[in-house]
């Protein structure tokens, strides 16, 4: 094999890792219980980054509704959802991914937002401006954000 | 317990549990008497039209921190009353082509004490439900000959509605939802239960299902409007009802309706009716 071919193969492979494997919101496959067994990116979730997504107002803002003892250093945990202590022992990875992608598939009528959804909204806005949303809306979290959050949640075993 | 002892006890409790929940700050069992004389109903049985969706209705005052609650107990401590006084001045100020003031027609302001408790209200002549703001605008353009009425959310209008609320404080809210107002009320109810925005949250998700719970640092109330306009410590000014609705829909990552829109008039009627049985508290103090 020549150098060029090796290079071309490498590029081809890395391109497919970066693009082809990210599952778009429309292409997500959940089973009848709302569980999603395949990673949205193929890249292992980073729990440290996941904790950041959970606590950051501009990302998941999960602690607005959930108490998490392991995240106590961040102030103001909400009470709208249940405590997530021990969630990693209650749900396996596929169920956890399903909850974060679209909690309503697992808890019907839940007040928990769907974090990987781009349509089907009533009067969607442009973030927190109060103005109409642009035609193409991004999901609340990216595919990798979701993998990172799932990885973090699975560490909450007690 | 006197206010002072209550505060001292609360302070002791705080010291003892300093690291724990903020909930200690809100005395949800407190009663509200303003200036030692106006007795408010801050909790009472829910009106029948709520069909059991709530058992008890609560004024938003109940959910505020002790110090915020205290500010509303005495007019000298309530910054909203300064604006109500400016509203009273406007009430007696000539405006418009005929050189009349509100007082020219409403010589006895006491005649207006039931206004805040009964609006929004069906207006026969216009064949529509009117808010207090719309009624003021109607007086201005149709009776006083003003070319242009005050804007819905203008400082003058906020001051005037604060004044009109203040003279009705302690009145029991009794907004009519039947007869010609019913269709508007139904439309408002529909809006109340619609999940808006990218977060897909309805008024009911926060204020019916979750009142009493914290959402991040905010202690959720039932979203009642008996305290409007509210003086908010956050922006140090009066805030009108539609402006609050707008903020709440914006927080769902939704596209809001406009202040004064048909949707918000209907929503105001519906939300007001959820407070039938509470008392008028405006201008109230909120964070």
């Amino acid at each position: 094999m020549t150098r060029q071919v090796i290079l071309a193969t490498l590029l081809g492979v890395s391109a497919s890792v970066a693009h082809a494997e990210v599952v778009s919101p429309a292409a997500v496959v959940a089973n009848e219980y709302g569980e999603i067994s395949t990673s949205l990116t193929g890249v292992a979730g980073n729990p440290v980054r996941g904790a950041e997504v959970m606590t950051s107002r501009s990302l998941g803002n999960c602690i607005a509704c959930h108490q998490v003892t392991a995240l106590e250093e961040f102030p103001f945990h909400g009470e709208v959802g249940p405590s997530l202590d021990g969630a990693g022992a209650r749900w396996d990875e596929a169920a956890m991914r399903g909850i974060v992608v679209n909690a309503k598939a697992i808890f019907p009528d839940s007040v928990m937002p769907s974090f990987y959804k781009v349509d089907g909204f009533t009067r969607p806005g442009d973030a927190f401006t109060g103005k109409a949303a642009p035609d193409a809306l991004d999901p609340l979290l990216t595919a990798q954000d979701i993998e990172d959050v799932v990885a973090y949640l699975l560490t909450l075993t007690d | 317990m006197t206010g002072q002892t209550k505060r001292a006890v609360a302070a002791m409790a705080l010291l003892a549990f300093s690291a724990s929940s903020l909930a200690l700050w809100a005395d949800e069992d407190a009663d509200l008497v303003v200036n030692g004389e106006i007795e408010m109903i801050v909790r009472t049985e829910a009106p029948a039209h709520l069909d059991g969706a709530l058992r008890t209705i609560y004024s938003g005052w109940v959910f505020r921190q002790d110090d915020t609650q205290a500010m509303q107990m005495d007019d000298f401590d309530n910054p909203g009353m300064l604006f109500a006084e400016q509203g009273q001045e406007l009430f007696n100020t000539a405006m418009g082509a005929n050189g009349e003031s509100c007082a020219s027609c409403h010589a006895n302001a006491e005649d207006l004490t039931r206004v805040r408790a009964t609006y929004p209200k069906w207006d026969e002549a216009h064949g529509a439900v009117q808010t207090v703001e719309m009624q003021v605008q109607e007086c201005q353009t149709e009776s006083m000959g003003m070319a242009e009425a005050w804007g819905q959310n203008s400082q003058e209008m906020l001051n005037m509605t604060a004044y009109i609320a203040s003279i009705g404080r302690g009145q029991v809210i009794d907004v009519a939802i039947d007869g010609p107002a019913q269709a508007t009320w139904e439309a408002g109810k529909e809006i109340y239960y619609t999940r808006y925005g990218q977060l897909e949250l309805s008024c009911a998700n926060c204020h019916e299902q979750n009142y009493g719970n914290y959402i991040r640092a905010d202690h959720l109330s039932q979203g009642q409007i008996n305290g409007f306009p509210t003086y908010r410590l956050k922006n140090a000014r009066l805030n009108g009802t539609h402006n609050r609705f707008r903020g709440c829909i914006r927080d769902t990552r939704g596209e809001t309706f406009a202040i004064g829109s048909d949707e918000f008039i209907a929503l105001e009627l519906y939300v007001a009716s959820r407070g039938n049985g509470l008392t008028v508290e405006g201008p109230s103090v909120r964070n």
Side-chain angles (χ1 to χ4, degrees):
Chain A
M1 255 201 287
T2 66
R3 232 173 245 204
Q4 273 106 324
V5 173
I6 293 173
L7 199 65
T9 318
L10 268 173
L11 283 173
V13 168
S14 64
S16 72
V17 167
H19 299 291
E21 291 192 27
V22 171
V23 181
S24 72
V28 172
V29 180
N31 69 12
E32 60 178 308
Y33 307 108
E35 299 162 345
I36 301 165
S37 50
T38 325
S39 164
L40 300 180
T41 61
V43 176
N46 171 355
V48 176
R49 173 89 208 317
E52 199 183 311
V53 174
M54 301 265 310
T55 52
S56 164
R57 252 173 222 277
S58 56
L59 295 169
N61 200 15
C62 312
I63 61 168
C65 290
H66 293 286
Q67 183 271 337
V68 186
T69 304
L71 298 174
E72 240 169 19
E73 68 199 273
F74 301 92
F76 306 128
H77 295 210
E79 307 170 318
V80 169
S83 166
L84 297 182
D85 290 357
R90 287 191 288 279
W91 307 95
D92 66 14
E93 184 186 314
M96 205 69 103
R97 189 177 288 111
I99 292 173
V100 183
V101 164
N102 180 17
K104 292 166 192 81
I106 293 179
F107 314 112
D109 302 321
S110 182
V111 302
M112 179 161 155
S114 300
F115 285 92
Y116 203 56
K117 175 175 163 174
V118 290
D119 49 23
F121 304 119
T122 305
R123 296 180 75 85
D126 188 1
F128 290 108
T129 62
K131 302 205 172 73
D135 285 344
L137 212 53
D138 288 329
L140 292 168
L141 294 178
T142 66
Q144 195 57 47
D145 289 339
I146 291 189
E147 292 305 320
D148 293 347
V149 165
V150 168
Y152 177 73
L153 290 169
L154 291 171
T155 69
L156 300 176
T157 48
D158 48 36
Chain B
M1 254 197 283
T2 67
Q4 228 168 8
T5 8
K6 203 154 45 183
R7 266 195 293 275
V9 170
M12 268 154 56
L14 264 175
L15 286 175
F17 302 104
S18 62
S20 77
S21 164
L22 271 172
L24 283 168
W25 283 87
D27 184 352
E28 295 189 20
D29 298 322
D31 288 322
L32 174 57
V33 180
V34 174
N35 300 334
E37 61 180 22
I38 312 175
E39 291 184 17
M40 300 292 185
I41 301 170
V42 294
R43 63 182 72 72
T44 190
E45 201 185 327
H49 69 74
L50 281 178
D51 264 339
L54 297 171
R55 285 168 61 113
T56 307
I57 52 172
Y58 299 93
S59 162
W61 180 84
V62 168
F63 301 92
R64 305 287 47 98
Q65 297 179 357
D66 283 351
D67 48 352
T68 311
Q69 286 187 341
M71 289 177 83
Q72 206 187 308
M73 297 171 79
D74 191 312
D75 284 357
F76 286 109
D77 299 328
N78 180 345
M81 287 309 293
L82 294 171
F83 296 98
E85 279 164 27
Q86 291 175 32
Q88 181 173 22
E89 271 170 41
L90 289 168
F91 192 86
N92 294 307
T93 303
M95 50 184 103
N98 316 330
E100 289 168 331
S101 69
C102 310
S104 310
C105 288
H106 309 281
N108 192 353
E110 243 112 85
D111 295 344
L112 302 180
T113 48
R114 287 295 294 158
V115 170
R116 184 62 276 175
T118 54
Y119 274 67
K121 192 180 194 174
W122 179 257
D123 181 279
E124 202 54 58
H126 292 83
V129 168
Q130 273 191 338
T131 61
V132 173
E133 287 85 347
M134 290 161 76
Q135 179 61 60
V136 171
Q137 289 175 329
E138 181 193 320
C139 291
Q140 292 185 317
T141 56
E142 295 177 26
S143 304
M144 306 171 85
M146 272 170 76
E148 212 181 322
W150 292 337
Q152 280 268 336
N153 203 38
S154 63
Q155 191 60 52
E156 289 98 332
M157 187 63 91
L158 288 163
N159 293 347
M160 180 61 72
T161 54
Y163 173 60
I164 292 171
S166 72
I167 59 182
R169 283 187 299 171
Q171 293 285 317
V172 179
I173 292 167
D174 184 16
V175 168
I177 64 170
D178 51 2
Q182 191 178 343
T184 307
W185 183 81
E186 303 276 2
K189 180 174 180 182
E190 173 89 30
I191 293 172
Y192 192 86
Y193 286 99
T194 299
R195 301 182 65 153
Y196 289 110
Q198 198 174 1
L199 298 182
E200 298 177 284
L201 293 169
S202 68
C203 311
N205 286 150
C206 285
H207 295 297
E208 183 173 287
Q209 283 173 249
N210 278 296
Y211 70 85
N213 286 333
Y214 275 86
I215 186 163
R216 202 123 195 181
D218 289 317
H219 195 196
L220 283 167
S221 72
Q222 288 183 341
Q224 298 282 1
I225 56 174
N226 60 310
F228 277 77
T230 57
Y231 178 86
R232 290 189 68 185
L233 301 167
K234 180 178 163 177
N235 58 9
R237 63 188 300 265
L238 289 178
N239 293 258
T241 310
H242 292 195
N243 202 24
R244 176 43 113 163
F245 291 168
R246 205 164 60 160
C248 283
I249 294 190
R250 183 198 56 216
D251 287 350
T252 70
R253 294 178 80 110
E255 178 190 359
T256 67
F257 298 102
I259 289 176
S261 61
D262 288 348
E263 289 87 354
F264 276 170
I265 294 166
L267 184 61
E268 181 176 342
L269 173 62
Y270 178 70
V271 177
S273 79
R274 292 174 69 95
N276 277 351
L278 296 174
T279 37
V280 173
E281 284 176 29
S284 66
V285 185
R286 298 290 186 263
N287 49 296

